[in-house]
Amino acid sequence: NTTAKRAYLAISAVAIMAVAVIASITMIDRAQASAQLPFKGEASGVFTGPDSGAGVVEATHIGEGTVVFTNLVVDQSVPPTFVDGAACFPTTGGDQTFTAANGDELTMEYVSGPFCVDPSTGAPVKGLFVTEVTGGTGRFDDAEGQIIIDAVGTETGWASSFTNDSW
């Protein structure tokens, strides 16, 4: 009987250890999956000047927060390309910052992409921008990569969606 009890206890201990190992592997897999969650979201806001705007953002890795862009450089010294009736000019610079609710910031710089305006009014109608992540604070301290921003102008401001599938 003692031998049977010892065998039962040994088997029980091995089974408990196996369950613990499986649970650990599952937690590691879930942590790795969340760390590789693509960065994507939406933002909207108002123009605060001819080259700037501010609004709200909701995105993976940020949650709800704010967005500000400044110093948007649109090269109007070159003839525009017309797309769907809009006059499109190249974007050659500018800064954008996403700020999470806890204050962590993700900063980026506009690198390229068309900024399109209504040729009769000059009102912004759309843009497709490539931004280069320049870093940030808190959880974004070592952030890098590119974010693609697809924006549309509205009567009162702008709305955009964005993505980076490599995060």
Side-chain angles (χ1 to χ4, degrees):
N1 238 349
T2 305
T3 306
K5 283 183 182 179
R6 284 186 196 158
Y8 174 76
L9 290 175
I11 291 170
S12 295
V14 169
I16 289 170
M17 287 174 27
V19 168
V21 167
I22 291 170
S24 296
I25 291 170
T26 301
M27 287 188 290
I28 290 168
D29 285 346
R30 286 185 182 156
Q32 289 173 344
S34 68
Q36 296 174 4
L37 183 66
F39 181 73
K40 60 183 177 178
E42 296 180 346
S44 62
V46 296
F47 294 104
T48 56
D51 65 349
S52 58
V56 295
V57 62
E58 184 166 342
T60 55
H61 302 282
I62 289 180
E64 293 181 4
T66 60
V67 58
V68 173
F69 68 89
T70 57
N71 306 317
L72 184 63
V73 179
V74 179
D75 185 0
Q76 294 184 345
S77 69
V78 298
T81 303
F82 287 89
V83 178
D84 298 329
C88 299
F89 299 92
T91 304
T92 59
D95 303 303
Q96 181 162 302
T97 302
F98 292 142
T99 304
N102 71 346
D104 289 356
E105 293 183 343
L106 177 65
T107 57
M108 62 204 82
E109 182 177 292
Y110 288 90
V111 198
S112 65
F115 180 79
C116 306
V117 298
D118 181 317
S120 61
T121 66
V125 292
K126 60 183 161 183
L128 183 61
F129 308 106
V130 176
T131 63
E132 188 72 34
V133 175
T134 56
T137 62
R139 67 187 140 195
F140 303 114
D141 191 38
D142 295 323
E144 57 184 29
Q146 290 186 330
I147 297 174
I148 308 299
I149 301 172
D150 188 1
V152 295
T154 67
E155 286 185 29
T156 58
W158 52 271
S160 66
S161 61
F162 49 87
T163 187
N164 173 328
D165 291 332
S166 65
W167 286 5

